[in-house]
Amino acid sequence: HVQLVESGGGSVQAGGSLRLSCKVSGSTSIHYCMGWFRQAPGKEREGVASLDNYGSTYYANSVQGRLTISEDNAKNSLFLQMDGLKPDGTAAYYCAAGLGGDWTDAAAWKYWGQGTQVTVS
């Protein structure tokens, strides 16, 4: 079993930056694929970025060039650096862990964190 805890959300002005963190604990002997999703009120959960077992990164077309996903295996942590934030980035952000599949499909992920709120004004 894997536990995920997000942190780093908050309020930021348009054009600003935030760095979200996800602490991973539990079955750390397994190399999971990791991802970030976001969900705004009244909308479906949307894939933002993912990192596979080989270190390849994937991004939603709407956020490429402004977001960077990374990990620090020694610290069991996943990060999402967000730059040039826009109001449409306002959402609850969730980290996820899984063993592969279509990363854009929320149903393909096995473990989820509780979410951290990002508000861009």
Side-chain angles (χ1 to χ4, degrees):
H1 189 73
V2 171
Q3 296 85 47
L4 307 172
V5 180
E6 303 97 332
S7 62
S11 297
V12 64
Q13 296 184 88
S17 299
L18 283 174
R19 192 183 198 190
L20 307 182
S21 300
C22 176
K23 182 69 175 180
V24 183
S25 62
S27 300
T28 56
S29 62
I30 299 176
H31 299 293
Y32 290 100
C33 299
M34 304 298 299
W36 286 98
F37 279 68
R38 66 186 181 189
Q39 187 167 25
K43 297 183 179 180
E44 296 183 359
R45 191 165 296 188
E46 174 190 23
V48 174
S50 70
L51 181 67
D52 70 16
N53 290 334
Y54 300 96
S56 297
T57 58
Y58 306 87
Y59 298 94
N61 290 334
S62 62
V63 302
Q64 287 191 27
R66 300 189 303 275
L67 276 66
T68 303
I69 188 172
S70 62
E71 64 181 351
D72 186 337
N73 290 328
K75 297 181 179 180
N76 294 322
S77 296
L78 179 75
F79 304 100
L80 183 68
Q81 178 68 42
M82 303 189 294
D83 299 312
L85 284 164
K86 298 179 179 179
D88 62 4
T90 296
Y93 284 72
Y94 300 85
C95 65
L99 295 174
D102 180 4
W103 77 270
T104 66
D105 182 5
W109 297 87
K110 187 173 183 179
Y111 301 105
W112 293 90
Q114 83 289 347
T116 185
Q117 180 67 38
V118 172
T119 301
V120 185
S121 61

